[in-house]
Amino acid sequence: MPNNGPPKDGLRRDIGVTGIVALGLGTAVGVSVYSVLAPATQLAGVAMIVSMLLAMVPMLVYAIIYAFMGAAVPVTGASYEWPRRFVHPFLGFIISWLRIAGSTSAVIVLTMVLVSYVGTFVALPLKLTMFGLLVFVLIVNLLGVSAAAKSQGVMLAILLGTCALFVFGSVPSIEMSNFKPFASHGIAGIFAAVPLLISLFLGIESATEVGGEVKNPAKSIPLGISISIVLTAVVYLAVAMAALGVLGPEKLGASSAPLLDAGVAAFGPAGRYLIVASAIVAIGSSINATFIIMSRFLYAMAREGMLPSALGKVSGKHDVPLAAILCAFVMCCVGLFLPSNLVFLFLAVNIPTILKYCATCAAAVGLVKTRPDLYEAAGFRSSKGMIYALAMAGVGLGILIIIAGWTADWRPYALLGAWATVGCLYYSVMRRRQ
């Protein structure tokens, strides 16, 4: 299949550090914080805070690897390009192929939860409203990555503002007795909650996927990722401690909408409006960020001839990968027919994401071994031994996380296995034609 490439020099470099932070924080701070605190508190009690800190460890490993790779090789569609270049073309293909399913599932679960939150005020037809949200995100992305990133920045400012209002406004309602006993479920409970809380930090590295559109990427990407992970940790810890202080571990653990209940307890009926507004902005920013990233790795795959060449063309007034954006929209529309079970959808999202992290770790090792010139030129790098150690740790942690999810629901594994099989057949046919 021929690769014609874009008709112009490439995508515009319009994204600065603020855009990187908005993409990373917008992807990470999404639906999980509004749902996962309750089951985590059931498992660990107040010590869920410790579980949250432990859940950061894998993402810190991956963040360092991504900051290094983003500084050394800033490209659009990085999760495809890095494994393809530094490990094997098939690895880049199959990771991105699986991420088509994962990103589709992510957009569906996000739009579904967003409609559910809005539905607490007004009854809405679920699927039709989800489709309307997809159309809106499509329009924003057709205006260019700069417009999409700016919309992320606006939503990020609103999100941080509402979270700050919730945290500081909850202080008068916090009871210190709610933090005792601290580790009521012991060490076992603390570790049992970690796999759930890992989902809070997934996506913090998202801006590396648009590395070809970042201004001064060698410095901006490492700095943006660092700021993103610090802000994410601060937001989560502050919100979790405020919710625990207001409700206590028993009420928080039993709640089906923990932040909503905490907001009502702290602010009265007005708290419902605050939390729903925060949820709308947080989840909306995650939808936008996920859609941007999905269109960019479709674009990158097409640029290398792994998908139809039309998807790899930059066109339109705003220099966007128009066909890739439309393809991402169509895939998300197909995703409206997926099961509405949240556990199923979360696993369908997380498995390809973790596999992407593992592949990037392998690519980091390949880059250090085969391209010492890129390693030496990287604006952000650790020692070679440290990169090897972090990469091996990242792969090991990823495998453990994937295995741990099997007991929750086997169906996403079957679906992704079938999708991977289709991908392998497509890859084989496509290579023969080339």
Side-chain angles (χ1 to χ4, degrees):
M1 189 176 297
N3 177 22
N4 297 328
K8 301 183 181 182
D9 292 336
L11 300 165
R12 292 183 183 178
R13 291 190 178 274
D14 286 337
I15 302 177
V17 174
T18 301
I20 293 171
V21 174
L23 285 171
L25 200 63
T27 305
V29 183
V31 66
S32 295
V33 71
Y34 296 94
S35 57
V36 80
L37 294 184
T41 304
Q42 288 178 356
L43 292 170
V46 178
M48 173 264 293
I49 299 296
V50 178
S51 303
M52 189 176 291
L53 292 172
L54 292 175
M56 286 182 62
V57 174
M59 282 313 303
L60 286 172
V61 172
Y62 296 131
I64 294 171
I65 292 292
Y66 268 87
F68 162 65
M69 292 295 289
V73 190
V75 290
T76 292
S79 61
Y80 166 72
E81 287 289 346
W82 292 340
R84 180 191 72 82
R85 294 186 188 185
F86 304 114
V87 183
H88 192 277
F90 176 73
L91 180 61
F93 170 82
I94 199 64
I95 289 297
S96 292
W97 182 264
L98 287 170
R99 288 193 66 217
I100 294 173
S103 296
T104 299
S105 301
V107 172
I108 294 306
V109 70
L110 289 166
T111 53
M112 184 172 68
V113 173
L114 179 57
V115 173
S116 298
Y117 264 87
V118 176
T120 61
F121 291 102
V122 56
L124 294 169
L126 179 62
K127 297 293 185 180
L128 183 60
T129 308
M130 290 169 66
F131 175 75
L133 288 171
L134 294 178
V135 172
F136 177 75
V137 173
L138 170 66
I139 294 171
V140 171
N141 278 263
L142 290 177
L143 295 176
V145 72
S146 179
K150 287 177 181 177
S151 68
Q152 283 294 104
V154 172
M155 288 188 285
L156 173 62
I158 297 173
L159 170 62
L160 293 178
T162 54
C163 286
L165 183 60
F166 168 71
V167 171
F168 290 108
S170 298
V171 171
S173 303
I174 291 176
E175 298 288 341
M176 296 308 297
S177 59
N178 285 334
F179 294 97
K180 299 177 182 178
F182 184 74
S184 57
H185 295 69
I187 299 296
I190 292 174
F191 282 100
V194 170
L196 284 177
L197 294 170
I198 284 174
S199 64
L200 292 172
F201 300 96
L202 297 180
I204 204 72
E205 78 304 325
S206 293
T208 58
E209 296 291 350
V210 292
E213 297 162 86
V214 173
K215 294 180 287 189
N216 193 13
K219 293 183 178 179
S220 298
I221 289 177
L223 178 60
I225 290 177
S226 300
I227 295 173
S228 296
I229 201 163
V230 170
L231 280 177
T232 301
V234 169
V235 169
Y236 283 149
L237 288 170
V239 168
M241 292 185 71
L244 278 168
V246 170
L247 292 180
E250 291 187 5
K251 289 183 179 179
L252 184 64
S255 175
S256 58
L259 291 192
L260 194 62
D261 289 344
V264 172
F267 296 90
R272 177 181 297 274
Y273 295 94
L274 174 66
I275 298 303
V276 169
S278 177
I280 289 172
V281 174
I283 299 170
S285 65
S286 290
I287 295 170
N288 190 43
T290 303
F291 191 92
I292 293 171
I293 304 310
M294 183 179 182
S295 65
R296 267 45 181 190
F297 69 70
L298 290 172
Y299 164 83
M301 292 173 73
R303 285 290 303 270
E304 295 302 322
M306 295 295 175
L307 288 177
S309 60
L311 298 178
K313 293 181 179 180
V314 176
S315 58
K317 177 181 177 182
H318 301 283
D319 291 327
V320 295
L322 178 61
I325 290 173
L326 293 174
C327 180
F329 172 73
V330 171
M331 291 299 300
C332 291
C333 289
V334 173
L336 291 171
F337 297 96
L338 287 171
S340 298
N341 180 276
L342 284 178
V343 174
F344 175 94
L345 290 170
F346 271 125
L347 285 174
V349 174
N350 291 349
I351 293 167
T353 302
I354 296 299
L355 288 173
K356 177 193 74 170
Y357 293 158
C358 293
T360 299
C361 288
V365 173
L367 183 150
V368 172
K369 287 184 175 180
T370 63
R371 293 297 304 274
D373 57 320
L374 293 177
Y375 169 77
E376 295 295 338
F380 173 88
R381 66 176 186 271
S382 304
S383 68
K384 292 183 179 180
M386 178 61 71
I387 291 175
Y388 291 150
L390 289 173
M392 287 188 290
V395 172
L397 289 168
I399 292 171
L400 290 175
I401 294 168
I402 291 173
I403 292 173
W406 175 266
T407 56
D409 192 341
W410 60 269
R411 294 176 301 163
Y413 292 82
L415 175 65
L416 291 170
W419 179 247
T421 301
V422 172
C424 290
L425 293 173
Y426 171 82
Y427 183 85
S428 177
V429 171
M430 181 262 306
R431 295 299 291 180
R432 286 197 187 97
R433 288 181 178 177
Q434 288 182 336

